[in-house]
Amino acid sequence: MGKSKARKFKRQHFSPTGFPDSTDVEVEQDAENCCPAVELLEKLQDPCPDVREYACGSISRLVQETRVIPSFLQQDVVRCLGPMLLDKSIAVQETAAGALRNLSACGGLEVCDAMVKQDILTPLAALLQECSSRLNRSLNNMEKYENGRRDRLEEVTTEAIHLLWNLCESSSLAVSIFNKEGLINILVQCLQKHEENMDLAICSAYCLQTVTEDNPELLASFSASTLQILDVLIMQSAISMQHLLLRTLVAGCLWNLKGILSCTAQAEAVSTVARILSETLEVDAGQAIMELKQAESQKLAEVNASMRPREEDAMDEESMKINCVPNQGLEDMSDLLPPRDEELKQAEAVLCAQQTALEILVNMCCSEEPSDDEWEDVSSSDESDLCAETCICDSGTGNQMMSPLCLSSEVHAALIKHCVPEKVIKKTTLCNNVISEICFKIPSWKTLVKKMQRVQCRALTCVQNMLSVMDPDVLGDEAALRTVAEHLSQLLFTNLDPPREEEFLEAVTSAIRSLLQVLASRGIPQCLGSQQFLAFSESALRCSNPGVRLNVVSILGVMGSTLSKQAGTAETLHMIGNFLLQVAMKDPSLIVVGEALDAIFDVFGDGKEAELAARSIQLLPTLRNLQPLFRAKIRKEGKDKYSSDQLCVLDNVKVNLRRFIAYQESLQKAGVQ
């Protein structure tokens, strides 16, 4: 329905817990039928702290399987676990926070909303205040794990902040309570512990980035000292991949906070954010993962080598009957072992950093107009005043075009200065197959493949937004634009291993859609094969994601509009027209149907080849039959399923359909058809 609008990224509810997705968790197949919810919740009242800890831990494991969550919710699990956050045993506090964290991550938006409404934030805020107070005390007074390696209190704090992050990411009410309770100071306090506990600092940065987005109430309370702490963090060197992730998250916070800065400070902040994001994307993630895997293998080899002489010494000591301390060999060996999954943690960090950087860029490269659903287009080819505020109508084609530069000059200049567009384009290519194969062979590293794919999807969405709001020259001249188009086409038509998911298909077709619109507006020949794309389009119609279908229809509209001005294209236009009519008549989404009709208006609006094709596909009688059905479907489904902006678009399409039929009838009466 016109040129694609830049979209603001709304983070999907990915599991931010560090635990596997529910589909990867090995839970009994009959867990739904024999889930011991009642028994475990009763054990939470046991006087023995070990029993309470066991119950919390069991619940934490079980709720990772989404099928059992309803049974726990029916037994009021939130209100049962809430008091455990303030249990006298720190071990119970930790496992209770972990159980609630998993419930919020695996339960989805509705469960998070229910948790907030059941007042889980009251005990959670109290726990965080308690942790904050104890973190301020001397380290000598802190409770430790038995092995003396990690601070138990910081583990509790980390679990609690993860839970807080999940809730605030899913519930506006949770953000309001966050503001009221003044929890911002606790997050900043934990950020400052990055040298001692990077995991705690990173989860705090994630949460801070979430709560500072579109939160004017919180921003108004930000102090100069807090901003200074963020400035110090963002200026530090990225000595590890986790440091890289932390800096990237802080850059996201700084972007959210730019509105409270002075004009001069704001320009400096924008430049700093662009620089940090550029440095994050500069890292070759594939090479980093390869090196980390090699480092892990080397450490394991060294550990194995160190064990052999110790075994020989132990045998000699036994033969000499020398008394030794029990288990001393095991303790020494554990000291030599590398930190558990440290290399994997760093590998995940680099991919998370680049995903975060691209998500920030997606939001930087989007228009500021509010929308009920910013993932959907709200423009139309109608010249209605309803949409005149956000779009500029191209009187030549009827398509609405976004203003060439919808980005502030400061942001535009900063992104160009730090070569961000070029680096984003590079991230649209997956890491090479060798790295993917290495990760696939190792169960614990296999999850990295999905993270690589997610980075690619974010990069493709970022390309779409950049093309929508920036001067296309940032990607180069005509030859460079055609190179990008060929690259995107190759991504679409090349068989990938593992198979492509709908998230990827939506991202790549969105990028192609925006690029083809740019090429068409500049009169640059299309380099996407119409026959090949038509074949892909047939399979795309079976895709359950309406965004994919919408993009496919829009791409065909751009291709057909270009072909209609060329000689000898009637046959191809015939195939495009038939496809678009099938979509308009059969697609279940009114948004996709509207896009298909808009594409028909563009393809068959003018030109002899278009007129020949229109006659051959019986365009006019088909549209006459479709018109009352389209109107009826809008009346029946419109208010219940679609936002006000989407209804505005559909109303415009309805008006344009009437006008287009009248236009075709006039041609027929004039003897053209």
Side-chain angles (χ1 to χ4, degrees):
M1 294 182 228
K3 186 172 181 181
S4 58
K5 180 180 178 181
R7 306 180 301 182
K8 186 172 182 180
F9 178 78
K10 293 184 178 180
R11 184 180 293 110
Q12 298 180 27
H13 198 68
F14 302 123
S15 172
T17 63
F19 290 99
D21 293 337
S22 60
T23 54
D24 297 327
V25 179
E26 294 184 0
V27 181
E28 293 85 349
Q29 292 296 318
D30 58 347
E32 186 176 12
N33 298 324
C34 63
C35 175
V38 175
E39 179 184 352
L40 289 173
L41 294 176
E42 288 177 351
K43 290 182 183 296
L44 295 178
Q45 307 303 319
D46 195 281
C48 176
D50 290 342
V51 174
R52 298 197 300 274
E53 180 185 0
Y54 164 79
C56 290
S58 298
I59 294 171
S60 180
R61 182 183 65 85
L62 286 171
V63 296
Q64 293 178 58
E65 176 57 55
T66 55
R67 294 178 302 166
V68 308
I69 290 178
S71 63
F72 276 100
L73 294 177
Q74 290 171 6
Q75 300 299 325
D76 218 6
V77 64
V78 177
R79 289 194 172 93
C80 292
L81 282 173
M84 299 297 101
L85 294 175
L86 302 175
D87 196 275
K88 293 180 180 180
S89 166
I90 193 170
V92 175
Q93 289 180 343
E94 180 184 353
T95 50
L100 288 164
R101 170 188 173 187
N102 285 1
L103 180 64
S104 65
C106 301
L109 300 178
E110 292 183 0
V111 171
C112 286
D113 190 55
M115 292 174 71
V116 174
K117 290 179 179 177
Q118 292 177 36
D119 201 27
I120 193 60
L121 279 164
T122 295
L124 178 59
L127 172 62
L128 286 167
Q129 296 289 359
E130 177 186 333
C131 290
S132 174
S133 176
R134 295 173 65 186
L135 285 171
N136 283 328
R137 300 174 189 170
S138 168
L139 289 175
N140 294 330
N141 295 327
M142 289 185 180
E143 298 180 59
K144 305 286 184 178
Y145 277 124
E146 291 181 2
N147 61 16
R149 287 189 175 185
R150 302 176 70 183
D151 177 52
R152 196 73 181 255
L153 175 60
E154 291 184 1
E155 290 299 308
V156 174
T157 309
T158 301
E159 294 287 352
I161 291 178
H162 266 292
L163 172 58
L164 178 66
W165 170 29
N166 290 1
L167 297 176
C168 289
E169 196 168 57
S170 306
S171 167
S172 58
L173 177 58
V175 175
S176 298
I177 297 172
F178 176 95
N179 296 342
K180 181 181 177 181
E181 295 290 339
L183 299 178
I184 182 68
N185 295 328
I186 297 175
L187 296 184
V188 175
Q189 176 189 12
C190 293
L191 276 175
Q192 292 177 285
K193 296 186 71 64
H194 64 94
E195 293 184 356
E196 306 159 26
N197 191 326
M198 182 59 76
D199 291 341
L200 176 60
I202 286 175
C203 77
S204 300
Y206 267 119
C207 189
L208 184 62
Q209 186 191 21
T210 295
V211 298
T212 52
E213 185 174 5
D214 300 327
N215 189 354
E217 179 184 352
L218 178 64
L219 268 55
S221 65
F222 249 75
S223 64
S225 60
T226 299
L227 289 171
Q228 188 175 9
I229 290 171
L230 296 181
D231 286 338
V232 170
L233 285 172
I234 207 169
M235 297 305 294
Q236 293 185 348
S237 300
I239 58 177
S240 71
M241 296 307 164
Q242 283 194 303
H243 281 85
L244 185 74
L245 173 57
L246 180 62
R247 281 206 316 167
T248 306
L249 290 167
V250 174
C253 297
L254 189 58
W255 171 256
N256 293 340
L257 296 168
K258 67 184 185 303
I260 65 175
L261 304 176
S262 65
C263 292
T264 301
Q266 190 173 122
E268 293 176 355
V270 168
S271 179
T272 299
V273 169
R275 176 179 60 81
I276 296 299
L277 300 183
S278 176
E279 291 175 359
T280 299
L281 296 178
E282 180 72 26
V283 176
D284 185 336
Q287 183 63 30
I289 292 171
M290 182 76 77
E291 292 174 358
L292 287 164
K293 188 67 195 73
Q294 291 173 348
E296 181 191 62
S297 300
Q298 179 63 30
K299 284 186 177 181
L300 290 175
E302 292 174 357
V303 169
N304 290 333
S306 67
M307 291 174 63
R308 286 191 290 272
R310 289 180 181 275
E311 292 172 352
E312 294 172 0
D313 291 343
M315 291 176 63
D316 291 342
E317 290 175 354
E318 178 63 25
S319 64
M320 296 171 62
K321 297 184 179 181
I322 299 177
N323 293 329
C324 61
V325 180
N327 298 327
Q328 184 67 49
L330 288 176
E331 290 182 4
D332 288 347
M333 186 188 73
S334 64
D335 289 339
L336 291 172
L337 285 170
R340 184 175 178 269
D341 294 329
E342 180 61 27
E343 287 74 23
L344 176 59
K345 184 186 296 184
Q346 297 294 336
E348 290 177 337
V350 66
L351 294 174
C352 289
Q354 295 192 340
Q355 176 185 335
T356 300
L358 291 164
E359 290 171 359
I360 296 169
L361 285 168
V362 167
N363 289 349
M364 291 174 71
C365 296
C366 75
S367 54
E368 296 298 326
E369 292 83 6
S371 170
D372 291 330
D373 186 355
E374 296 190 44
W375 277 102
E376 295 290 350
D377 291 356
V378 296
S379 59
S380 170
S381 61
D382 185 17
E383 299 177 0
S384 169
D385 292 336
L386 289 171
C387 300
E389 293 181 0
T390 58
C391 299
I392 301 172
C393 183
D394 183 341
S395 59
T397 64
N399 287 340
Q400 290 187 353
M401 305 294 288
M402 294 294 295
S403 176
L405 289 175
C406 298
L407 207 58
S408 72
S409 58
E410 292 83 4
V411 175
H412 197 276
L415 296 180
I416 294 175
K417 176 183 177 182
H418 295 287
C419 305
V420 171
E422 297 95 315
K423 294 177 181 180
V424 170
I425 291 292
K426 289 182 179 179
K427 294 303 170 186
T428 62
T429 302
L430 277 174
C431 297
N432 64 54
N433 292 334
V434 174
I435 296 170
S436 297
E437 289 174 4
I438 291 174
C439 294
F440 262 118
K441 291 178 181 178
I442 308 167
S444 60
W445 287 65
K446 189 175 180 179
T447 57
L448 295 182
V449 177
K450 285 188 177 181
K451 294 181 185 296
M452 294 179 213
Q453 293 170 342
R454 193 167 295 154
V455 168
Q456 181 188 37
C457 290
R458 298 296 183 269
L460 289 165
T461 302
C462 197
V463 169
Q464 178 210 349
N465 275 23
M466 288 192 303
L467 288 167
S468 299
V469 301
M470 297 180 71
D471 187 336
D473 287 339
V474 300
L475 296 181
D477 56 13
E478 176 179 335
L481 289 173
R482 288 180 61 84
T483 299
V484 174
E486 291 169 1
H487 166 65
L488 295 178
S489 300
Q490 186 177 13
L491 290 179
L492 181 63
F493 296 130
T494 301
N495 291 325
L496 298 180
D497 185 22
R500 296 170 296 183
E501 297 182 354
E502 291 187 356
E503 182 184 9
F504 167 79
L505 290 175
E506 181 178 12
V508 70
T509 52
S510 294
I512 291 174
R513 174 186 181 182
S514 291
L515 184 55
L516 289 184
Q517 288 169 338
V518 169
L519 295 178
S521 68
R522 295 190 164 204
I524 300 174
Q526 308 286 347
C527 54
L528 187 65
S530 55
Q531 300 290 340
Q532 190 177 22
F533 190 77
L534 275 167
F536 164 77
S537 300
E538 293 292 342
S539 62
L541 281 186
R542 297 189 293 272
C543 185
S544 62
N545 185 338
V548 176
R549 305 197 303 273
L550 183 141
N551 288 332
V552 166
V553 166
S554 179
I555 290 170
L556 285 174
V558 176
M559 294 173 61
S561 178
T562 302
L563 291 172
S564 66
K565 301 175 179 62
Q566 302 172 11
T569 58
E571 184 178 350
T572 303
L573 292 176
H574 174 101
M575 291 187 289
I576 292 176
N578 263 338
F579 179 87
L580 294 175
L581 283 174
Q582 288 298 312
V583 174
M585 291 186 293
K586 297 181 179 180
D587 199 278
S589 168
L590 275 173
I591 298 298
V592 178
V593 170
E595 187 73 37
L597 289 171
D598 243 353
I600 288 172
F601 306 154
D602 293 338
V603 174
F604 298 99
D606 190 26
K608 292 183 179 180
E609 298 293 329
E611 293 168 6
L612 291 172
R615 274 200 304 271
S616 68
I617 63 174
Q618 296 292 301
L619 180 63
L620 180 56
T622 303
L623 291 180
R624 282 173 177 163
N625 293 332
L626 176 63
Q627 186 179 28
L629 300 175
F630 182 58
R631 289 175 174 173
K633 196 170 184 180
I634 292 177
R635 286 195 301 269
K636 182 179 179 181
E637 302 179 4
K639 293 183 179 179
D640 295 333
K641 292 186 178 181
Y642 302 98
S643 68
S644 57
D645 283 332
Q646 291 169 334
L647 287 175
C648 166
V649 173
L650 292 171
D651 284 339
N652 290 339
V653 174
K654 182 173 63 176
V655 171
N656 284 351
L657 177 58
R658 175 175 53 81
R659 293 175 179 174
F660 186 77
I661 289 174
Y663 167 70
Q664 290 290 319
E665 289 173 340
S666 68
L667 291 179
Q668 189 179 59
K669 289 178 182 179
V672 178
Q673 291 191 1

